[in-house]
């Protein structure tokens, strides 16, 4: 029987060094694309896939991420007094069901795998999603909902994948592929950040996963991988052969918002999707190109 997917882990304890100095006193995941912080895009995408319980893996200087989903009594009262209905309505996505968000602390950022292991009590015996908020996906049907649909067909582990230029495999987790129907691929191996000459394919994992709880026992081994970090990819690789493992070529466009160029491109792409902004954005872009 395939268990219902209700839980999501949001690892947000990274240092965000590529975005210094912006991330000196603020979390990278609070950076906005247009007018919404990255963390809120992730939470809204997760809700659209049926997620009810969230666990943020936080670190020092990340409290704003939790505050963002709290009730802002004073702000809301002031907006109501001033009859600012649009501004009030814009806060609705930043509200959460009481008790639906828990946090755990990753005291030292030892890697994504270590961050997920920190959420082990929250995960328990249930399947869970992982969303990396700095990977933003523009899609008609939200990416995690596409992944959840596939999960209810295949069961087991499933990751969202996309083709990357062959010379960039050393930046990503890369799949070794078995059967491939053009959309769903069977994963027969996983390597974190392989050198282009050793890469088994150019199909890379993006920051959307649905994993079985058994991955925790492999993370608990605390083996260091690429970059001397505890890599999630290495623990996932151990599940291959024990449990179904698939990759899904999702429909949509991914923006790596942990990177300056990806972040800037996301601003433009998301603004162009907003009817009230797209005309003006098109106009000013003409001045630069
Ligand atoms: P990144 O590889 O983007 O690292 O992490 P980073 O520290 O956030 O950013 P840079 O590379 O220094 O600029 C991918 C995701 O994993 C989380 C990050 O918060 C991000 O969501 N992460 C990473 C942790 O939660 N803990 C870690 O130890 C490492």
């Amino acid at each position: 029987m395939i268990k219902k997917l209700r839980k999501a882990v949001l690892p947000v304890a990274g240092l965000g060094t590529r975005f210094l100095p912006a991330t000196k006193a603020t979390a990278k995941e609070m950076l906005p694309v247009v007018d919404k912080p990255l963390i809120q895009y992730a939470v809204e995408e997760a809700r659209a896939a049926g997620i009810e319980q969230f666990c943020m893996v936080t670190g020092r200087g990340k409290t704003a991420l939790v505050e963002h989903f709290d009730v802002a009594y004073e702000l809301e009262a002031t907006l109501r007094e001033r009859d600012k209905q649009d501004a009030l309505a814009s806060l609705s996505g930043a509200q959460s069901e009481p008790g639906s968000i828990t946090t755990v602390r990753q005291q030292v950022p030892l890697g994504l795998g270590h961050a997920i292991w920190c959420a082990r009590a929250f995960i328990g015996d249930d399947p869970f999603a992982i969303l990396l908020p700095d990977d933003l996906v523009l899609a008609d049907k939200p990416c995690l909902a596409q992944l959840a649909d596939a999960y209810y067909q295949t069961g087991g582990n499933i990751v969202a994948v996309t083709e990357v230029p062959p010379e960039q495999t050393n930046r990503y987790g890369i799949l070794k592929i078995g059967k491939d129907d053009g959309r769903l691929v069977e994963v027969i191996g996983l390597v974190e950040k392989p050198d282009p000459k050793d890469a088994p394919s150019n199909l890379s994992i993006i920051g959307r996963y649905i994993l079985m709880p058994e991955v925790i026992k492999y993370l608990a081994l605390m083996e260091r991988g690429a970059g001397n970090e505890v890599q999630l990819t290495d623990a996932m690789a151990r599940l291959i052969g024990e449990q179904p493992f698939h990759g899904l070529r999702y429909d949509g466009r991914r923006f790596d918002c942990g990177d300056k160029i990806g972040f800037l491109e996301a601003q433009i792409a998301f603004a162009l999707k907003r009817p009230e902004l797209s005309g003006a954005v098109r106009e000013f872009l003409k001045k630069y190109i």
Side-chain angles (χ1 to χ4, degrees), residues 57-86:
V57 183
T58 68
R60 284 173 61 233
K62 301 276 184 170
T63 41
L65 290 163
V66 184
E67 296 274 323
H68 184 70
F69 294 95
D70 211 338
V71 178
Y73 286 109
E74 286 173 17
L75 173 65
E76 289 172 29
T78 309
L79 293 176
R80 229 171 273 122
E81 242 167 55
R82 298 184 184 172
D83 200 27
K84 300 256 185 202
Q85 295 304 330
D86 289 353

Side-chain angles (χ1 to χ4, degrees), residues 11-19 28-29 57 62 106 108-112 114-115 132-134 229 258:
V12 291
L15 296 177
T17 54
R18 284 169 295 165
F19 256 103
K28 170 173 71 173
E29 298 80 5
V57 183
K62 301 276 184 170
Q106 185 194 24
V108 186
L110 297 176
L112 178 58
H114 181 263
L132 306 188
D134 51 1
E229 292 191 339

Side-chain angles (χ1 to χ4, degrees), residues 204-254:
S204 99
I205 304 175
I206 71 153
R208 300 292 181 276
Y209 312 68
I210 295 174
L211 297 180
M212 298 300 105
E214 287 75 16
V215 74
I216 296 295
K217 68 171 185 268
Y218 294 122
L219 288 172
L221 301 174
M222 291 298 147
E223 286 171 352
R224 302 294 180 110
N228 199 31
E229 292 191 339
V230 180
Q231 295 288 353
L232 177 61
T233 306
D234 297 342
M236 293 194 307
R238 294 189 179 236
L239 296 173
I240 298 167
E242 288 182 8
Q243 298 177 339
F245 211 127
H246 293 89
L248 177 76
R249 289 195 185 85
Y250 59 94
D251 291 322
R253 272 174 66 203
R254 183 273 300 262

